[in-house]
């Protein structure tokens, strides 16, 4: 039995109602887990892309890929983990911005190339994008200052094109 | 309607309701035969039986809400056994969908996990195309049930009609042709094997690979076992036949699977009722696995050579490949292997002792004898199903019709009605339990009204016998909730419906009762009052290796 690994799977699916629940139902019905999931239309309005992150050993991931392929509305299943790919997540983080912490927040924002997208007397809202490790690092630092609330996306990902 | 005819539909099982009056009205003007069942679950089982006996797609038409939810069990059974059925459900008008309208349920949502695919048709222009797709999906690749939900306004709309072309779908193309290299690798393994076993499943039946499998096994002199779903895929009277494998498999089938050095799985999915404790299953063997559904492969057991293909096509090609091979050397060790199997067979055969109370196995053996093994047998679920599988030796495919994957009580009788409609000239017998038959007994009137000479042989043990057997063996004989002594008089029930009722209470009456039933061109219930506490053996306790059988 191989070790559990995180896999990012990209699906091209028919842009129809019910497709997402077919995917979600497959995962819940067969006891596979979904760590995150993102859906949006592609350039072709008939198709959507679902990016989902899951975890499992080789046998489970093989089943997940095959079962996804079997769903009628799924056009293409790409397990990006087997290739070179870029992956991003985004988080909006509302931090307590007391007078004495503002400089510190700005420094963190600068280091991680984030943006401040909303400012009020008591709070700054920080927009961060990057890998899940990067987001985790930012959260870790800002937590010490005081986070009021956060909203995060799941991962979105695309395969890298050949360099030559 | 035009599409239905184009798809070759000649029979529809259904039950009416408010939102499908229009469809029934139109249907009535065609020459498609409409069978009015008495419960929608039975409509799907009947369509399932019809499909299995005829090789065609079974079709149902029911109303929205409760009509639709009543089909779910039937759909789930067809799904587990990969049977091509198309179910049309009525739906409230599109303008009301989502409003908790009268008799509205989200049947597409409910059946998503137990259909191969399903549709809600919102646009009348898409209707014809969708129906064609539904039939195509149901019968192609790994077959299965497809549901089409039809809102009332969609089925009422009048549009100009043009027959859509056969469907081409971007996202669906079943893989039917085997990989040549894999076949060659498989042949190499097969020629090297000293103790091979073939394990056939429902895929052999569904793909019509009976002849190819028989040729393959005989040419290579390899013994064959089968899952419950695979019975009839290889002649049950052949010397190479091992009997069924699994929880109630024969001693020799289970032992030879444990001892073999190569297992060739064809159209199987290595279900837990077959494998027993999974890490001990065929533990000395390399495994070749042929199946049309890639998800079946590597799902439960590790496979040495996977071959994704239609079973019939793969076997045809394998037969071709071995034509040129000199088999003298590779088959040299076979007599030893077959001798070992013969020994298992003679020391531990399937057996029972007929004393003064009728043994259920005896009834099945007599049915086999008196029908010369030629009847179409459907079963209910429980001990009756296992005895049917063990003691009726199926020589032909599509003659054993049972709810294998779902194990659904109440399946056998409506399925027998469907099979009889598909094969009017065959003897069709439902081997039933006294519990199961009560789950769709209302269909008696359907058999009678349509003058169907379906026979039902009730192995009446006044128990939910299979559960009682588990209680006897593993729950200290505490028979909680399984005594069903309080039962109707099945002879009178049959008579009340206008059918014929017969009863046998003593062993010497069995033959006479069966003969009389077979000679009666009407629906007949045979009530065999059998030994109450008879159990099915061999039995592999849950969680044990299949070689660890209880024998009595
Ligand atoms: C719809 C349904 N409910 C419950 C069960 C569980 N079950 C399996 S076998 C069985 C007993 C069946 O009794 P009977 O039809 O009398 O058959 P016997 O085992 O006595 O031959 C039961 C309750 C089932 N398989 N299907
Ligand atoms: Mg019983």
């Amino acid at each position: 039995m191989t070790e559990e690994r995180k896999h990012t799977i990209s699906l091209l699916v028919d842009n129809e109602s019910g497709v997402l629940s077919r995917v979600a139902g497959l995962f819940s019905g067969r006891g596979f887990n979904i760590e995150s999931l993102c859906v949006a239309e592609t350039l072709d309005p008939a198709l959507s892309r679902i990016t989902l992150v899951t975890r499992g050993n080789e046998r489970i991931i093989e089943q997940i890929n095959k079962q996804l392929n079997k769903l009628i509305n799924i056009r293409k299943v790409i397990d990006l983990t087997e290739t070179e790919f870029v992956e991003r997540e985004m988080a909006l983080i509302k931090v307590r911005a007391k007078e004495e912490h503002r400089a510190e927040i700005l420094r963190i924002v600068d280091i991680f190339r984030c943006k401040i997208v909303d400012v009020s007397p008591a709070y700054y809202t920080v927009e961060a994008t990057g890998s899940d490790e990067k987001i985790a690092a930012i959260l870790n630092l800002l937590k010490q200052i005081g986070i009021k609330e956060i909203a995060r996306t799941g991962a979105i990902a695309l395969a890298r094109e050949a360099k030559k | 309607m035009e599409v239905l005819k184009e798809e070759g539909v000649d029979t529809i099982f259904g039950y009416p309701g408010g939102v499908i009056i229009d469809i029934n009205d139109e249907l009535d003007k065609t020459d498609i035969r409409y069978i009015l069942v008495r419960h929608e679950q039975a409509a799907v089982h009947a369509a399932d039986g019809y499909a299995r006996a005829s090789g065609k797609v079974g079709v149902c038409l029911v109303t929205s809400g409760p009509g639709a939810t009543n089909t779910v069990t039937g759909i789930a059974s067809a799904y587990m056994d990969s049977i091509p059925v198309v179910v049309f459900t009525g739906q409230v008008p599109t303008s009301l969908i989502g409003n908790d309208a009268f008799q509205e349920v989200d049947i597409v949502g409910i059946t998503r996990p137990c259909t191969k695919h399903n549709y809600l048709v919102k646009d009348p222009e898409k209707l014809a195309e969708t129906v064609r797709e539904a039939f195509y999906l149901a019968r192609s690749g790994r077959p299965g049930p497809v549901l089409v939900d039809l809102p009332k306004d969609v089925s009422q709309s009048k549009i100009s009609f043009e027959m859509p072309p056969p469907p081409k779908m971007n996202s669906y193309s079943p893989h039917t042709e085997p990989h040549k290299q894999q076949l060659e690798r498989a042949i190499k393994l097969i020629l090297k094997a000293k103790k091979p076993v073939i394990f056939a499943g429902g895929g052999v039946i569904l793909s019509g690979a009976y002849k190819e499998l028989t040729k393959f096994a005989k040419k290579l002199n390899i013994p064959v076992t089968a899952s419950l779903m695979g019975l009839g895929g290889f002649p049950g009277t052949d010397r190479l036949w091992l009997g069924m494998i699994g929880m109630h498999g024969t001693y020799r089938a289970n032992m030879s699977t444990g001892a073999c050095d190569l297992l060739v799985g064809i159209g199987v999915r290595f279900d837990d009722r077959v494998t027993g404790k999974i890490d001990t299953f065929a533990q000395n063997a390399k495994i070749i696995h042929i199946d049309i559904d890639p998800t079946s492969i590597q799902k439960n057991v590790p496979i040495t050579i996977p071959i994704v293909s239609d079973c019939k096509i793969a076997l045809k090609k394998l037969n071709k490949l071995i034509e040129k091979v000199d088999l003298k050397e590779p088959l040299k060790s076979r007599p030893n292997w077959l001798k070992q199997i013969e020994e298992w067979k003679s020391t531990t055969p399937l057996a029972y002792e007929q004393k003064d109370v009728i043994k259920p196995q005896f009834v099945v053996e007599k049915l086999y004898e008196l029908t010369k093994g030629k009847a179409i047998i459907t079963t209910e679920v429980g001990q009756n199903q296992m005895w049917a599988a063990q003691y009726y030796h199926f020589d032909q495919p599509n003659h054993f019709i049972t709810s294998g994957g779902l194990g659904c009580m109440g399946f056998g009788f409506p399925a027998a009605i469907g099979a009889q409609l598909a094969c009017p000239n065959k003897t069709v017998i439902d081997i039933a339990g006294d519990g199961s038959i009560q789950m769709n007994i209302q269909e008696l009137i359907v058999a009678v009204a349509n003058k169907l000479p379906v026979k039902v042989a009730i192995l009446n043990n006044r128990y939910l016998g299979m559960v009682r057997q588990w209680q006897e063996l593993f729950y200290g004989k505490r028979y909680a909730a399984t005594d069903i002594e309080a039962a109707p008089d099945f002879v009178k029930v049959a008579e009340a419906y206008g059918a014929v009722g017969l009863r046998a209470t003593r062993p010497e009456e069995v033959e006479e009762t069966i003969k009389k039933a077979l000679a009666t061109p009407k629906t007949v219930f045979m009530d065999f009052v059998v030994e109450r506490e008879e159990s099915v053996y061999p039995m592999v306790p849950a969680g044990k290796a299949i070689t660890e059988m209880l024998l009595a």
Side-chain angles (χ1 to χ4, degrees):
Chain A
M1 201 76 59
T2 57
E3 237 174 276
E4 280 207 355
R5 244 177 88 195
K6 196 180 108 179
H7 280 246
T8 303
I9 298 174
S10 177
L11 309 171
L12 276 177
V13 306
D14 290 332
N15 187 5
E16 272 177 25
S17 67
V19 177
L20 181 60
S21 73
R22 284 183 207 279
V23 173
L26 172 69
F27 276 74
S28 61
R30 293 191 179 268
F32 305 142
N33 71 52
I34 302 184
E35 293 198 348
S36 77
L37 182 135
C38 266
V39 199
E41 218 173 71
T42 62
L43 282 180
D44 177 352
L47 294 180
S48 295
R49 183 184 298 281
I50 298 181
T51 311
L52 64 83
V53 178
T54 182
R55 188 171 276 286
N57 64 30
E58 225 171 82
R59 202 173 57 92
I60 288 178
I61 298 293
E62 181 182 336
Q63 263 300 308
I64 290 175
N65 280 306
K66 285 174 171 177
Q67 293 285 357
L68 286 168
N69 261 309
K70 197 167 149 181
L71 291 180
I72 308 291
N73 292 125
I74 294 193
R75 304 279 186 100
K76 205 165 175 191
V77 180
I78 312 154
D79 188 347
L80 290 168
T81 315
E82 307 304 325
T83 62
E84 291 280 310
F85 69 107
V86 274
E87 184 173 40
R88 291 290 177 270
E89 288 179 24
M90 180 165 136
L92 294 173
I93 308 155
K94 208 174 270 177
V95 239
R96 235 171 288 274
K98 282 194 197 148
E99 190 74 55
E100 66 267 33
H101 289 139
R102 287 192 187 158
E104 172 72 8
I105 295 171
L106 289 177
R107 202 167 54 239
I108 294 169
V109 164
D110 197 40
I111 293 170
F112 286 97
R113 280 179 283 161
C114 306
K115 273 194 277 185
I116 298 198
V117 290
D118 186 48
V119 176
S120 72
Y123 293 101
Y124 285 177
T125 301
V126 176
E127 172 196 310
T129 57
S131 66
D132 59 342
E133 289 99 351
K134 177 175 158 185
I135 305 265
I138 297 167
L139 284 175
N140 206 11
L141 290 173
L142 292 180
K143 223 183 260 168
Q144 291 161 21
I145 297 169
I147 294 177
K148 185 183 179 207
E149 55 185 353
I150 62 166
R152 285 181 75 166
T153 67
I156 51 170
L158 282 178
R160 284 186 195 275
E161 289 295 322
K163 286 275 153 33
K164 273 180 268 177
Chain B
M1 292 303 143
E2 290 305 317
V3 180
L4 293 181
K5 278 191 228 157
E6 174 77 18
E7 297 290 347
V9 175
D10 55 19
T11 306
I12 292 181
F13 300 90
Y15 206 80
V19 295
I20 55 164
I21 296 178
D22 299 275
I23 306 178
N24 273 113
D25 197 40
E26 283 304 312
L27 196 56
D28 216 35
K29 297 172 193 160
T30 70
D31 49 15
I32 295 176
R33 174 168 57 173
Y34 178 79
I35 303 294
L36 176 63
V37 297
R38 293 302 187 269
H39 189 300
E40 290 89 349
Q41 181 192 345
V44 189
H45 292 328
D48 183 321
Y50 182 86
R52 292 201 212 190
S54 68
K56 294 204 255 182
V57 178
V59 185
C60 301
L61 170 64
V62 304
T63 193
S64 66
T69 51
N70 269 349
T71 64
V72 173
T73 305
I75 293 173
S77 180
Y79 182 67
M80 292 289 270
D81 291 343
S82 309
I83 306 303
V85 173
V86 174
V87 178
F88 294 98
T89 49
Q91 182 56 279
V92 300
T94 44
S95 58
L96 290 182
I97 289 179
N99 280 0
D100 297 329
F102 178 62
Q103 296 195 328
E104 178 188 357
V105 295
D106 175 12
I107 195 65
V108 168
I110 290 172
T111 58
R112 209 168 270 141
C114 62
T115 49
K116 182 167 172 185
H117 195 53
N118 58 18
Y119 298 90
L120 167 63
V121 185
K122 287 188 186 150
D123 176 0
E125 299 286 346
K126 293 248 170 76
L127 176 59
E129 179 190 323
T130 306
V131 174
R132 289 217 82 169
E133 264 184 32
F135 276 86
Y136 171 60
L137 284 178
R139 74 161 76 90
S140 62
R142 177 174 177 178
V146 178
L147 181 138
V148 184
D149 202 18
L150 301 169
K152 182 160 172 134
D153 52 327
V154 172
S155 52
Q156 276 178 328
S157 60
K158 295 207 166 24
I159 53 165
S160 65
F161 173 76
E162 215 179 295
M163 182 61 69
K168 259 214 296 287
M169 300 173 67
N170 286 327
S171 55
Y172 175 76
S173 56
H175 195 98
T176 52
E177 288 283 332
H179 210 283
K180 186 153 174 264
Q181 254 173 332
Q182 294 296 80
L183 291 181
E184 281 162 0
R185 286 179 58 207
I187 292 285
K188 260 195 207 144
L189 263 193
I190 292 168
L191 295 179
K192 259 202 289 188
K194 301 257 177 308
K195 299 191 277 180
V197 167
I198 292 170
F199 164 33
V204 170
I205 311 279
L206 287 164
S207 69
Y210 168 83
K211 275 202 197 114
E212 288 73 15
L213 172 62
T214 309
K215 182 170 169 192
F216 180 71
K218 290 196 168 178
K219 176 98 184 185
L220 291 165
N221 209 16
I222 302 179
V224 182
T225 180
S227 65
L228 184 69
M229 294 304 296
L231 295 179
F234 183 82
T237 49
D238 196 274
R239 67 181 178 88
L240 289 172
W241 175 240
L242 293 170
M244 184 171 69
I245 191 177
M247 182 173 273
H248 294 293
T250 63
Y251 185 73
R252 63 188 191 283
N254 286 355
M255 292 307 284
S256 45
T257 305
C260 70
D261 62 355
L262 176 69
L263 189 70
V264 187
I266 309 177
V268 292
R269 57 188 176 88
F270 296 96
D271 166 89
D272 56 282
R273 283 291 187 266
V274 160
T275 60
K277 187 164 184 248
I278 194 86
D279 44 355
T280 61
F281 179 73
Q283 55 190 336
N284 303 308
K286 298 207 160 107
I287 303 183
I288 297 170
H289 188 183
I290 306 174
D291 199 273
I292 195 159
D293 182 358
T295 68
S296 293
I297 292 173
Q298 308 277 22
K299 183 169 68 180
N300 299 333
V301 292
I303 301 300
T304 321
I305 302 181
I307 300 175
V308 178
S309 166
D310 176 270
C311 297
K312 180 171 178 159
I313 298 175
L315 280 165
K316 248 193 189 143
K317 298 205 162 172
L318 285 172
N319 280 332
K320 189 115 212 182
L321 283 173
I322 48 173
E323 252 170 32
K324 299 164 221 138
V325 181
D326 179 9
L327 293 173
K328 212 154 103 210
E329 195 51 35
L331 298 191
K332 227 171 67 188
S333 58
R334 206 69 93 238
N336 267 340
W337 177 223
L338 293 175
K339 206 175 109 211
Q340 165 72 73
I341 290 169
E342 196 49 45
E343 223 171 274
W344 283 322
K345 181 176 178 180
S346 55
T347 56
T348 322
L350 282 176
Y352 66 93
E353 222 182 313
Q354 179 59 63
K355 290 193 199 137
D356 8 314
V357 184
I358 302 175
K359 285 290 171 88
Q361 300 94 321
F362 176 68
V363 175
V364 178
E365 271 198 337
K366 281 288 164 200
L367 285 168
Y368 175 70
E369 226 177 275
L370 295 169
T371 55
K372 305 192 180 67
K374 295 219 155 56
I376 293 180
I377 300 292
T378 71
T379 77
E380 301 296 341
V381 171
Q383 296 180 315
N384 57 85
Q385 179 182 34
M386 292 301 124
W387 285 317
Q390 290 178 336
Y391 288 91
Y392 202 100
H393 311 290
F394 296 93
D395 270 338
Q396 318 159 69
N398 307 322
H399 279 60
F400 183 56
I401 299 178
T402 194
S403 174
L406 193 67
C408 174
M409 291 170 68
F411 172 87
F413 186 37
I417 290 174
Q420 186 78 77
L421 284 159
C423 306
N425 299 320
K426 288 240 169 197
T427 302
V428 179
I429 305 175
D430 173 26
I431 296 183
D434 49 316
S436 304
I437 191 63
Q438 294 182 62
M439 283 211 181
N440 267 318
I441 204 160
Q442 77 288 342
E443 298 307 307
L444 249 173
I445 197 63
V446 179
V448 171
N450 290 283
K451 303 194 166 51
L452 301 176
V454 171
K455 312 288 182 270
V456 179
I458 302 170
L459 307 179
N460 189 350
N461 52 13
R462 282 88 74 217
Y463 272 122
L464 299 171
M466 186 55 93
V467 184
R468 185 209 58 77
Q469 176 169 345
W470 284 53
Q471 291 170 328
E472 175 188 327
L473 295 170
F474 314 118
Y475 292 85
K477 293 200 176 192
R478 294 183 305 278
Y479 296 160
T482 47
D483 189 326
I484 50 169
E485 184 104 63
D489 178 331
F490 291 112
V491 171
K492 284 192 186 152
V493 171
E495 286 167 1
Y497 276 95
V500 175
L502 304 172
R503 176 171 295 124
T505 49
R506 305 199 36 78
E508 57 275 17
E509 294 166 4
V510 170
E511 186 162 329
E512 188 190 325
T513 305
I514 296 172
K515 276 186 177 159
K516 201 159 160 193
L518 291 175
T520 309
K522 287 186 175 178
T523 310
V524 183
F525 263 30
M526 292 172 267
D527 183 12
F528 295 103
V529 181
V530 299
E531 176 78 56
R532 287 203 80 190
E533 299 200 11
E534 186 69 14
S535 289
V536 182
Y537 291 110
M539 176 178 191
V540 179
K544 287 273 167 47
I546 60 168
T547 46
E548 296 177 71
M549 286 162 271
L550 305 176
L551 296 170

